[in-house]
């Protein structure tokens, strides 16, 4: 059985206000251990995807802080201790001091992150 932790994750991403540690697990899922040191509305990074929204499903758990997911139907906030599922078609706002563990389908995540990466390079 696969296992991963923040310390053993194969990939680390660090940008201002964010640190993520990722591992691809058997069965087609990626686990992310993510820490936000700045509040960020991430909506601009999804421009170019259908409806300019994240097209990947996520299952997660908020260790600390707060995350808000906005969809066409409204928004929902998740606080420390909350587990969540968010379907495709959302944009997140993450608040300073937030830590989450999140599981996402690897292929969907990679397709989404390609667009996010291009938007980051272009300055959001």
């Amino acid at each position: 059985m696969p296992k991963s932790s923040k310390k053993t994750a194969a990939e680390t991403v660090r940008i201002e206000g964010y640190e993520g540690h990722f591992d691809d697990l058997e069965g087609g899922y990626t686990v992310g251990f993510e820490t936000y040191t700045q509040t960020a509305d991430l909506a601009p990074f999804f421009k170019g995807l259908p409806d300019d929204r994240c097209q990947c499903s996520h299952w997660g758990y908020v260790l600390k802080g707060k995350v808000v997911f906005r969809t066409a139907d409204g928004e929902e906030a998740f606080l420390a201790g909350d587990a969540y599922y968010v379907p495709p078609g959302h944009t997140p706002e993450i608040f300073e001091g937030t830590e989450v563990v999140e599981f996402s389908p690897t292929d969907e995540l990679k397709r989404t992150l390609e667009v996010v990466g291009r938007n980051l390079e272009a300055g959001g």
Side-chain angles (χ1 to χ4, degrees):
M1 287 186 278
K3 76 175 188 177
S4 181
S5 72
K6 187 175 182 177
K7 291 181 182 178
T8 65
E11 181 182 354
T12 297
V13 175
R14 289 183 181 95
I15 58 174
E16 186 177 344
Y18 172 81
E19 183 174 303
H21 303 272
F22 299 92
D23 247 340
D24 292 343
L25 303 175
E26 292 177 22
Y29 285 86
T30 297
V31 61
F33 304 90
E34 300 177 282
T35 301
Y36 293 83
T37 56
Q38 295 178 358
T39 297
D41 181 352
L42 302 179
F45 299 112
F46 299 100
K47 297 232 182 273
L49 289 165
D51 296 324
D52 293 330
R53 298 178 189 273
C54 180
Q55 297 300 304
C56 185
S57 303
H58 309 286
W59 293 259
Y61 183 78
V62 182
L63 298 167
K64 292 173 33 178
K66 175 182 174 182
V67 59
V68 172
F69 291 104
R70 292 183 179 89
T71 67
D73 296 327
E75 68 179 46
E76 189 163 354
F78 299 92
L79 305 173
D82 288 342
Y84 60 85
Y85 165 73
V86 61
H90 63 272
T91 59
E93 181 175 6
I94 315 287
F95 293 83
E96 181 179 342
T98 297
E99 292 184 27
V100 299
V101 177
E102 196 167 80
F103 297 86
S104 308
T106 300
D107 291 341
E108 289 177 26
L109 183 63
K110 286 182 180 178
R111 283 191 297 272
T112 297
L113 290 180
E114 287 174 6
V115 173
V116 170
R118 287 194 299 269
N119 287 329
L120 276 168
E121 288 175 10

